[in-house]
Amino acid sequence: MTMRFPTTVGWQVWLCAGLLGLSAMVATAAPTAPAARALQQLFDDDWRWQMRHQPEFASSMGERAAGDRWDDHSAAALDAEEAHQRALMKRLQAIPGCPRPTGW
């Protein structure tokens, strides 16, 4: 049996988000308002996904509904997490002003 570990795509999502946030502070507010809303929606969607699919983390954040489950570390769950992170990255790249990572 081969051990599988979650991918490291998540850090790229947060890096792009941070750079977009920094560029939004430097630029004027009007042109970045749609990008800021799209970024906030992406964060909200990711947070909800994390709360549903990582119950141990959710419990540590005070989400009582998740306190009766353990994290799923099966191959299927890791595949789902990787697919989620890749989908986040595609959504993030569609937001104007987000730098495009290389090597993907």
Side-chain angles (χ1 to χ4, degrees), residues 41-59:
Q41 185 62 52
L42 183 130
F43 286 154
D44 292 344
D45 293 346
D46 182 49
W47 183 258
R48 282 189 293 276
W49 192 94
Q50 298 295 334
M51 294 295 106
R52 275 193 318 272
H53 292 90
Q54 295 183 344
E56 292 174 43
F57 173 69
S59 183

Side-chain angles (χ1 to χ4, degrees), residues 68-88:
D68 63 343
R69 295 179 288 136
W70 296 100
D71 286 356
D72 183 359
H73 296 288
S74 67
L78 294 176
D79 288 344
E81 182 176 356
E82 183 176 351
H84 170 72
Q85 290 176 347
R86 289 189 181 279
L88 279 179

